[in-house]
Amino acid sequence: MKLQEKDVFDLLDEKADFYNSIDFITDDPIQIPHRFSLKQDIEIAGFLSASIAWGNRKSIITDANKMIDLMGNSPYDFVMNFQDSDLQNIPQKAIHRTFNHEDFIFFLKNFRRIYSKFDSLEDAFLLNENETDFYHSIERFRSHFISEKHRGEKHLSSPYKNSASKRLLMFLRWMVRKDKKGVDFGIWENIDARFLSLPLDVHTANISRKLGILSRKQNDWKAVSELDLILRKYKPDDPAIYDFALFGLGVSKEFE
């Protein structure tokens, strides 16, 4: 039997509250930035972890830890002070699936460049007046971050090309959302959580369709925008909290 919209969101509210707990960190890539307290360390560790967040979560966590180890467990200090010899010590093999050592070095060099201009990555994501989501913000960030044509830029997906930009939206959720549950960091003070969108992947999209809150068949930015309309209707100040609920329903296989 198809649930009524209110019943769907009663369910999602319940699941969001359940999965948005400190226990969530144990098996999720967000555990990597939780190793740190310095804002820039959290940003770099979070950005790198989110950038390889596809496939098996255990593998993502293992490979994200490899990157942190290669930076001497001090991401910001390494980014700002590495020498060419340090980069030569990075093994010439894949870090995580198609994210290889060249991509990692590309990210490191561009982190240094962007931190030479901004104190925080937040400054490169700030929204302009009248913007209601990160559609343009992500593109501005990409223009700041990508210094030259490089294969590594494929790991920074573009809403202008209708990508759902799942990994960037997940990173933004981590940095922007603030509550007392202890999962997301909420260390960015100048961006409001109401502008966040759902980090849409295969699983959250499929659950959304089964619940009847997403009709679009493609997992793209248009689908993200479609979900924005209904998620913000029920949680206008914190729509991305439903990421926990949809993820949880996917893990529990309740709607398979």
Side-chain angles (χ1 to χ4, degrees):
M1 183 177 72
K2 183 177 173 62
L3 293 173
Q4 297 297 311
E5 184 176 290
K6 182 183 182 303
D7 295 329
V8 167
F9 278 89
D10 285 345
L11 173 66
L12 292 180
D13 286 336
E14 175 191 336
K15 295 296 182 181
D17 184 64
F18 179 78
Y19 283 99
N20 181 20
S21 75
I22 204 74
D23 293 337
F24 180 88
I25 296 171
T26 305
D27 298 313
D28 193 80
I30 201 172
Q31 69 175 257
I32 307 299
H34 268 287
R35 291 171 50 183
F36 303 99
S37 56
L38 181 69
K39 182 178 184 179
Q40 291 83 359
D41 281 340
I42 293 169
E43 290 178 342
I44 294 169
F47 194 92
L48 288 170
S49 301
S51 294
I52 63 166
W54 77 97
N56 178 273
R57 285 200 300 160
K58 185 176 180 180
S59 175
I60 294 165
I61 292 165
T62 297
D63 294 339
N65 272 315
K66 286 179 188 175
M67 289 191 284
I68 301 303
D69 290 343
L70 288 167
M71 293 186 286
N73 295 297
S74 297
Y76 183 61
D77 180 67
F78 185 88
V79 160
M80 300 310 292
N81 296 294
F82 67 77
Q83 304 295 320
D84 287 343
S85 57
D86 297 315
L87 301 184
Q88 291 168 6
N89 289 331
I90 296 173
Q92 294 192 21
K93 59 182 181 181
I95 300 288
H96 179 77
R97 302 179 74 168
T98 62
F99 189 96
N100 67 17
H101 79 287
E102 290 181 35
D103 303 326
F104 183 40
I105 291 171
F106 172 74
F107 272 48
L108 292 174
K109 289 180 176 179
N110 285 294
F111 277 135
R112 174 184 285 184
R113 194 174 49 78
I114 207 165
Y115 277 114
S116 298
K117 183 176 182 180
F118 299 117
D119 179 62
S120 165
L121 296 186
E122 177 182 17
D123 299 320
F125 276 105
L126 293 174
L127 279 72
N128 290 335
E129 189 177 0
N130 299 323
E131 291 180 357
T132 59
D133 59 27
F134 285 90
Y135 181 75
H136 298 297
S137 167
I138 288 173
E139 290 298 330
R140 286 193 296 272
F141 173 79
R142 293 180 82 254
S143 69
H144 287 305
F145 194 84
I146 299 171
S147 58
E148 59 185 355
K149 191 72 177 174
H150 188 277
R151 54 160 280 133
E153 69 183 80
K154 70 181 180 181
H155 298 294
L156 295 167
S157 52
S158 168
Y160 283 10
K161 295 179 181 178
N162 201 28
S163 168
S165 298
K166 173 252 182 175
R167 285 169 281 171
L168 285 168
L169 288 176
M170 184 170 70
F171 169 71
L172 289 166
R173 194 207 87 198
W174 293 355
M175 297 299 108
V176 174
R177 278 200 75 254
K178 180 184 291 186
D179 57 27
K180 296 179 181 179
K181 295 298 190 77
V183 182
D184 293 325
F185 292 91
I187 55 174
W188 287 3
E189 301 288 345
N190 299 306
I191 299 176
D192 199 290
R194 72 180 186 271
F195 299 120
L196 292 171
S197 299
L198 186 81
L200 188 71
D201 62 13
V202 171
H203 306 293
T204 55
N206 287 344
I207 294 294
S208 296
R209 292 185 186 101
K210 288 175 181 177
L211 290 171
I213 60 173
L214 177 64
S215 60
R216 185 167 176 80
K217 292 181 171 59
Q218 294 86 357
N219 298 337
D220 55 16
W221 191 267
K222 290 179 180 178
V224 171
S225 297
E226 181 183 333
L227 278 170
D228 276 347
L229 293 175
I230 191 164
L231 299 184
R232 292 176 182 184
K233 174 181 173 182
Y234 285 88
K235 277 284 189 293
D237 296 328
D238 189 17
I241 193 172
Y242 288 121
D243 189 27
F244 291 103
L246 294 165
F247 164 83
L249 288 170
V251 167
S252 68
K253 303 183 190 295
E254 191 169 334
F255 279 85
E256 283 194 354

